[in-house]
Amino acid sequence: MLSRYRERRALAVTDITATEWCDKQMEFVLEHGKPERTEAMKAGSDRHAQLEQEVIERVDIAVRSAEESWAVKFMNFIVGSNQLLFNGMTRELPVIGVVEGSWMVGIIDELRMPVDGISFHPILVDTKTRFKATIPSEAQKRNGRLQLMCYKYLWDSSISEKFPAENFFSYFDLNPDFLLSDDVKRYISSIGFNAQTFGDVMKFYKITCHTLSRSQEQLILRYELQEDHSLLEEYQFSYDAQWFKGQIQEALSFWLGAREPKYVTEEEGWKCKFCKFAPSCPKIASTSRC
Protein backbone atom coordinates (compact mmCIF):
# COMPACT_ATOMS: atom_id res chain seq x y z
CA MET A 1 0.00 0.00 0.00
CA LEU A 2 2.75 2.43 0.95
CA SER A 3 4.78 1.94 -2.24
CA ARG A 4 1.64 1.95 -4.41
CA TYR A 5 -0.30 4.86 -2.93
CA ARG A 6 2.30 6.90 -1.02
CA GLU A 7 5.48 6.52 -3.08
CA ARG A 8 7.92 9.33 -2.23
CA ARG A 9 5.30 10.67 0.14
CA ALA A 10 4.88 10.56 3.88
CA LEU A 11 2.03 8.86 5.63
CA ALA A 12 -0.32 11.32 7.29
CA VAL A 13 -1.39 10.96 10.88
CA THR A 14 -4.93 10.75 9.51
CA ASP A 15 -3.84 7.71 7.44
CA ILE A 16 -2.89 6.01 10.70
CA THR A 17 -6.10 6.94 12.51
CA ALA A 18 -8.24 5.95 9.51
CA THR A 19 -6.50 2.56 9.47
CA GLU A 20 -7.12 2.12 13.19
CA TRP A 21 -10.80 2.94 12.61
CA CYS A 22 -11.18 0.27 9.93
CA ASP A 23 -8.51 -1.34 7.72
CA LYS A 24 -11.05 -2.30 5.08
CA GLN A 25 -12.49 1.18 4.83
CA MET A 26 -8.96 2.54 4.37
CA GLU A 27 -8.38 0.03 1.57
CA PHE A 28 -11.62 1.13 -0.13
CA VAL A 29 -10.54 4.79 0.14
CA LEU A 30 -7.17 4.01 -1.44
CA GLU A 31 -8.70 2.02 -4.29
CA HIS A 32 -11.79 4.14 -5.00
CA GLY A 33 -11.05 7.55 -3.50
CA LYS A 34 -12.61 9.32 -0.55
CA PRO A 35 -16.41 9.51 -0.54
CA GLU A 36 -18.06 12.93 -0.69
CA ARG A 37 -17.66 14.84 2.54
CA THR A 38 -20.71 15.06 4.76
CA GLU A 39 -22.11 18.29 6.17
CA ALA A 40 -20.81 17.25 9.59
CA MET A 41 -17.30 16.81 8.19
CA LYS A 42 -17.47 20.20 6.48
CA ALA A 43 -18.65 21.82 9.71
CA GLY A 44 -15.72 20.26 11.57
CA SER A 45 -13.23 21.62 9.03
CA ASP A 46 -14.84 25.05 9.19
CA ARG A 47 -14.54 25.07 12.98
CA HIS A 48 -10.84 24.17 12.80
CA ALA A 49 -10.28 26.99 10.29
CA GLN A 50 -12.12 29.38 12.61
CA LEU A 51 -10.00 28.36 15.59
CA GLU A 52 -6.83 28.79 13.53
CA GLN A 53 -7.81 32.27 12.38
CA GLU A 54 -8.23 33.34 16.00
CA VAL A 55 -4.48 33.11 16.53
CA ILE A 56 -2.80 32.92 13.09
CA GLU A 57 -3.05 34.96 9.92
CA ARG A 58 -2.21 32.65 7.04
CA VAL A 59 -0.61 34.02 3.88
CA ASP A 60 -1.09 32.41 0.46
CA ILE A 61 2.25 31.89 -1.26
CA ALA A 62 2.73 30.63 -4.80
CA VAL A 63 5.17 27.71 -4.84
CA ARG A 64 6.73 26.20 -7.95
CA SER A 65 8.41 23.07 -6.65
CA ALA A 66 8.35 20.42 -3.95
CA GLU A 67 11.32 22.16 -2.32
CA GLU A 68 9.39 25.42 -2.02
CA SER A 69 6.31 23.62 -0.71
CA TRP A 70 8.40 22.04 2.05
CA ALA A 71 10.20 25.34 2.69
CA VAL A 72 6.87 27.05 3.41
CA LYS A 73 5.82 24.19 5.72
CA PHE A 74 9.07 24.47 7.70
CA MET A 75 8.74 28.25 7.93
CA ASN A 76 5.13 27.85 9.14
CA PHE A 77 6.49 25.54 11.85
CA ILE A 78 8.99 28.23 12.86
CA VAL A 79 6.28 30.93 12.94
CA GLY A 80 3.95 28.73 15.00
CA SER A 81 6.71 27.72 17.41
CA ASN A 82 7.67 31.35 18.01
CA GLN A 83 4.02 32.19 18.58
CA LEU A 84 3.82 29.38 21.14
CA LEU A 85 6.86 30.72 23.00
CA PHE A 86 5.87 34.38 22.98
CA ASN A 87 2.05 34.24 23.06
CA GLY A 88 1.53 30.97 24.90
CA MET A 89 -0.47 29.26 22.18
CA THR A 90 -0.44 28.25 18.53
CA ARG A 91 -2.73 26.23 16.28
CA GLU A 92 -2.51 24.13 13.11
CA LEU A 93 1.22 23.48 13.47
CA PRO A 94 2.79 21.23 10.78
CA VAL A 95 5.11 18.47 12.04
CA ILE A 96 7.17 15.75 10.35
CA GLY A 97 9.28 12.87 11.56
CA VAL A 98 10.12 9.19 11.27
CA VAL A 99 7.89 6.80 13.21
CA GLU A 100 8.91 3.13 13.35
CA GLY A 101 10.97 3.62 10.19
CA SER A 102 8.31 5.43 8.13
CA TRP A 103 8.06 9.14 7.38
CA MET A 104 4.94 10.71 8.81
CA VAL A 105 3.40 14.19 8.71
CA GLY A 106 0.64 15.80 10.68
CA ILE A 107 -0.88 19.10 11.73
CA ILE A 108 -1.18 19.61 15.48
CA ASP A 109 -4.55 21.13 16.30
CA GLU A 110 -3.36 23.20 19.26
CA LEU A 111 -0.32 23.68 21.47
CA ARG A 112 -0.54 25.78 24.61
CA MET A 113 1.95 26.66 27.30
CA PRO A 114 1.06 25.91 30.94
CA VAL A 115 -0.52 28.87 32.70
CA ASP A 116 1.66 28.41 35.78
CA GLY A 117 4.54 30.20 34.05
CA ILE A 118 6.95 27.65 35.46
CA SER A 119 6.89 24.73 33.05
CA PHE A 120 8.20 25.18 29.50
CA HIS A 121 6.69 21.91 28.26
CA PRO A 122 3.72 22.64 25.99
CA ILE A 123 0.38 20.84 26.22
CA LEU A 124 -1.09 19.21 23.11
CA VAL A 125 -4.82 19.70 22.60
CA ASP A 126 -7.19 18.38 19.94
CA THR A 127 -10.74 19.67 19.44
CA LYS A 128 -13.38 17.45 17.85
CA THR A 129 -16.83 18.62 16.82
CA ARG A 130 -20.00 16.53 17.17
CA PHE A 131 -23.28 16.86 15.29
CA LYS A 132 -25.33 15.69 18.28
CA ALA A 133 -24.94 16.53 21.96
CA THR A 134 -23.78 13.04 22.87
CA ILE A 135 -20.62 11.78 24.54
CA PRO A 136 -18.26 10.02 22.07
CA SER A 137 -17.94 6.25 22.15
CA GLU A 138 -14.83 4.51 23.48
CA ALA A 139 -13.84 3.67 19.88
CA GLN A 140 -13.97 7.36 18.97
CA LYS A 141 -12.00 8.35 22.04
CA ARG A 142 -9.41 5.65 21.35
CA ASN A 143 -8.99 6.99 17.81
CA GLY A 144 -8.59 10.50 19.19
CA ARG A 145 -6.01 9.32 21.72
CA LEU A 146 -4.00 7.68 18.95
CA GLN A 147 -4.09 10.88 16.90
CA LEU A 148 -2.82 13.01 19.78
CA MET A 149 -0.11 10.48 20.64
CA CYS A 150 1.06 10.62 17.00
CA TYR A 151 1.36 14.39 17.27
CA LYS A 152 3.24 14.15 20.56
CA TYR A 153 5.67 11.62 19.12
CA LEU A 154 6.34 13.80 16.05
CA TRP A 155 6.77 16.96 18.15
CA ASP A 156 9.04 15.31 20.72
CA SER A 157 11.20 13.57 18.12
CA SER A 158 11.63 16.89 16.27
CA ILE A 159 12.84 18.48 19.50
CA SER A 160 14.99 15.75 21.02
CA GLU A 161 16.46 13.95 18.00
CA LYS A 162 18.72 15.13 15.22
CA PHE A 163 16.61 15.65 12.10
CA PRO A 164 17.69 13.03 9.49
CA ALA A 165 18.20 15.61 6.73
CA GLU A 166 20.01 13.33 4.28
CA ASN A 167 17.32 10.68 4.61
CA PHE A 168 14.70 13.39 4.16
CA PHE A 169 16.28 14.78 0.97
CA SER A 170 16.78 11.29 -0.44
CA TYR A 171 13.35 9.86 0.39
CA PHE A 172 11.40 12.84 -0.96
CA ASP A 173 13.86 13.40 -3.85
CA LEU A 174 14.64 16.99 -2.82
CA ASN A 175 17.59 19.23 -3.65
CA PRO A 176 18.94 21.23 -0.66
CA ASP A 177 20.65 23.64 -3.08
CA PHE A 178 17.42 24.51 -4.84
CA LEU A 179 17.20 28.30 -5.30
CA LEU A 180 14.00 29.73 -3.87
CA SER A 181 11.75 32.02 -5.91
CA ASP A 182 11.43 35.71 -5.13
CA ASP A 183 7.89 35.18 -3.74
CA VAL A 184 9.07 32.56 -1.25
CA LYS A 185 12.15 34.60 -0.29
CA ARG A 186 9.95 37.63 0.35
CA TYR A 187 7.71 35.58 2.63
CA ILE A 188 10.70 34.26 4.55
CA SER A 189 12.15 37.76 4.77
CA SER A 190 8.85 39.09 6.18
CA ILE A 191 9.27 36.62 9.07
CA GLY A 192 12.76 37.93 9.76
CA PHE A 193 14.96 35.37 8.01
CA ASN A 194 17.20 35.55 4.98
CA ALA A 195 17.20 32.37 2.89
CA GLN A 196 18.37 31.79 -0.65
CA THR A 197 18.13 28.00 -0.86
CA PHE A 198 15.97 25.20 0.55
CA GLY A 199 18.98 24.12 2.60
CA ASP A 200 19.02 27.53 4.31
CA VAL A 201 15.43 26.97 5.46
CA MET A 202 16.38 23.55 6.83
CA LYS A 203 19.11 25.16 8.94
CA PHE A 204 16.60 27.63 10.44
CA TYR A 205 14.23 24.74 11.16
CA LYS A 206 16.90 22.76 13.01
CA ILE A 207 17.93 25.81 15.06
CA THR A 208 14.29 26.44 16.03
CA CYS A 209 13.82 22.83 17.14
CA HIS A 210 16.79 23.18 19.50
CA THR A 211 15.06 26.07 21.30
CA LEU A 212 11.91 24.07 22.08
CA SER A 213 10.96 21.64 24.86
CA ARG A 214 9.32 18.24 24.78
CA SER A 215 5.57 18.26 25.27
CA GLN A 216 3.82 17.20 28.45
CA GLU A 217 2.82 13.59 29.08
CA GLN A 218 -0.77 14.67 29.69
CA LEU A 219 -2.79 15.21 26.51
CA ILE A 220 -6.21 16.85 26.16
CA LEU A 221 -9.16 15.85 23.95
CA ARG A 222 -12.05 18.32 23.65
CA TYR A 223 -15.48 17.63 22.15
CA GLU A 224 -17.66 20.54 21.04
CA LEU A 225 -21.22 20.68 19.75
CA GLN A 226 -21.16 21.88 16.13
CA GLU A 227 -24.29 24.00 16.49
CA ASP A 228 -23.02 26.46 19.11
CA HIS A 229 -19.45 25.29 19.93
CA SER A 230 -20.48 24.50 23.50
CA LEU A 231 -18.17 22.09 25.31
CA LEU A 232 -19.56 18.56 25.58
CA GLU A 233 -16.55 16.93 27.20
CA GLU A 234 -12.89 17.57 27.87
CA TYR A 235 -10.67 14.89 29.29
CA GLN A 236 -6.99 14.36 29.90
CA PHE A 237 -5.07 11.16 29.42
CA SER A 238 -1.42 10.13 29.64
CA TYR A 239 0.84 9.28 26.74
CA ASP A 240 1.39 5.51 26.65
CA ALA A 241 4.56 4.75 24.69
CA GLN A 242 4.05 0.97 24.68
CA TRP A 243 0.41 1.16 23.54
CA PHE A 244 1.30 3.76 20.90
CA LYS A 245 4.12 1.63 19.49
CA GLY A 246 1.81 -1.36 19.22
CA GLN A 247 -0.85 0.68 17.43
CA ILE A 248 1.67 2.13 14.96
CA GLN A 249 3.20 -1.27 14.22
CA GLU A 250 -0.26 -2.74 13.62
CA ALA A 251 -1.16 0.08 11.21
CA LEU A 252 2.18 -0.06 9.40
CA SER A 253 1.87 -3.82 8.91
CA PHE A 254 -1.19 -3.01 6.77
CA TRP A 255 0.54 -0.19 4.87
CA LEU A 256 3.69 -2.25 4.27
CA GLY A 257 1.68 -5.20 2.96
CA ALA A 258 2.63 -7.55 5.79
CA ARG A 259 -1.01 -8.53 6.38
CA GLU A 260 -4.44 -8.38 4.80
CA PRO A 261 -6.84 -5.64 5.91
CA LYS A 262 -9.04 -6.52 8.85
CA TYR A 263 -12.71 -5.82 9.38
CA VAL A 264 -14.06 -4.08 12.47
CA THR A 265 -14.80 -6.26 15.48
CA GLU A 266 -18.34 -7.40 16.24
CA GLU A 267 -18.44 -4.96 19.16
CA GLU A 268 -17.72 -2.08 16.80
CA GLY A 269 -19.92 -3.24 13.94
CA TRP A 270 -21.99 -0.07 14.38
CA LYS A 271 -19.27 1.75 12.44
CA CYS A 272 -20.51 0.06 9.26
CA LYS A 273 -23.80 2.01 9.46
CA PHE A 274 -21.85 5.19 8.76
CA CYS A 275 -19.53 3.78 6.07
CA LYS A 276 -20.19 4.81 2.46
CA PHE A 277 -18.49 1.62 1.25
CA ALA A 278 -20.75 -0.72 3.26
CA PRO A 279 -22.78 -1.87 0.21
CA SER A 280 -19.56 -3.16 -1.39
CA CYS A 281 -18.02 -4.63 1.77
CA PRO A 282 -17.68 -8.43 1.98
CA LYS A 283 -18.30 -8.27 5.74
CA ILE A 284 -21.74 -6.73 5.23
CA ALA A 285 -22.53 -9.16 2.42
CA SER A 286 -21.62 -12.19 4.53
CA THR A 287 -23.59 -10.85 7.51
CA SER A 288 -26.73 -10.26 5.43
CA ARG A 289 -26.64 -13.87 4.17
CA CYS A 290 -26.62 -15.26 7.71
Side-chain angles (χ1 to χ4, degrees), residues 12-286:
V13 169
T14 49
D15 289 329
I16 298 298
T17 55
T19 303
E20 190 278 334
W21 186 255
C22 177
D23 283 352
K24 197 63 182 177
Q25 186 185 72
M26 186 74 250
E27 183 185 52
F28 274 122
V29 168
L30 292 172
E31 292 179 347
H32 304 290
K34 291 183 179 180
E36 187 175 346
R37 298 172 74 220
T38 63
E39 290 303 315
M41 294 167 67
K42 292 176 183 176
S45 297
D46 291 344
R47 177 56 175 156
H48 274 261
Q50 180 185 357
L51 288 169
E52 179 188 17
Q53 290 168 5
E54 289 177 1
V55 296
I56 293 176
E57 182 180 350
R58 287 289 182 217
V59 180
D60 290 328
I61 303 143
V63 296
R64 59 192 176 106
S65 68
E67 284 85 355
E68 291 192 340
S69 178
W70 279 108
V72 171
K73 289 185 178 76
F74 284 124
M75 292 309 301
N76 286 343
F77 175 88
I78 293 172
V79 171
S81 297
N82 286 336
Q83 185 182 48
L84 173 69
L85 294 177
F86 293 108
N87 298 345
M89 177 195 286
T90 192
R91 290 186 173 130
E92 301 297 313
L93 187 80
V95 283
I96 180 172
V98 178
V99 185
E100 292 294 313
S102 295
W103 282 99
M104 195 176 297
V105 294
I107 300 178
I108 299 176
D109 190 13
E110 181 182 321
L111 282 144
R112 59 174 79 148
M113 298 302 290
V115 293
D116 59 17
I118 300 172
S119 173
F120 292 98
H121 300 282
I123 305 166
L124 273 70
V125 182
D126 198 82
T127 298
K128 308 284 186 190
T129 62
R130 293 184 64 76
F131 181 67
K132 295 182 178 179
T134 55
I135 299 301
S137 67
E138 171 53 29
Q140 291 168 321
K141 288 183 178 180
R142 184 184 67 235
N143 201 256
R145 290 195 297 268
L146 177 59
Q147 184 175 1
L148 264 174
M149 287 190 201
C150 283
Y151 293 150
K152 174 175 170 57
Y153 186 95
L154 290 172
W155 170 270
D156 287 354
S157 62
S158 298
I159 305 314
S160 58
E161 299 175 14
K162 182 180 179 181
F163 186 77
E166 293 306 316
N167 183 339
F168 172 74
F169 294 136
S170 174
Y171 182 85
F172 294 101
D173 195 21
L174 300 169
N175 176 15
D177 297 320
F178 183 89
L179 292 173
L180 302 172
S181 68
D182 289 340
D183 285 344
V184 174
K185 285 192 289 188
R186 270 194 296 270
Y187 167 63
I188 295 172
S189 178
S190 71
I191 301 169
F193 295 88
N194 179 24
Q196 301 298 317
T197 67
F198 180 44
D200 292 338
V201 174
M202 286 297 303
K203 292 174 185 175
F204 299 144
Y205 170 72
K206 292 178 183 178
I207 292 170
T208 300
C209 287
H210 290 152
T211 68
L212 303 169
S213 300
R214 290 171 61 92
S215 60
Q216 293 199 14
E217 295 296 301
Q218 290 292 307
L219 307 168
I220 299 177
L221 263 177
R222 301 179 71 259
Y223 291 92
E224 288 183 353
L225 183 63
Q226 285 181 359
E227 184 179 17
D228 59 6
H229 306 151
S230 59
L231 184 64
L232 295 174
E233 183 181 18
E234 176 176 306
Y235 83 103
Q236 295 188 22
F237 60 95
S238 298
Y239 178 75
D240 186 333
Q242 186 174 357
W243 180 84
F244 173 70
K245 184 173 184 176
Q247 290 289 320
I248 292 295
Q249 289 177 340
E250 177 69 7
L252 288 179
S253 66
F254 162 78
W255 280 96
L256 298 174
R259 63 171 175 82
E260 291 298 312
K262 298 176 183 178
Y263 301 104
V264 294
T265 62
E266 292 299 323
E267 294 81 5
E268 297 183 7
W270 55 267
K271 293 178 179 178
C272 303
K273 298 177 183 178
F274 305 95
C275 180
K276 301 292 185 181
F277 300 106
S280 307
C281 183
K283 176 180 173 65
I284 302 299
S286 63

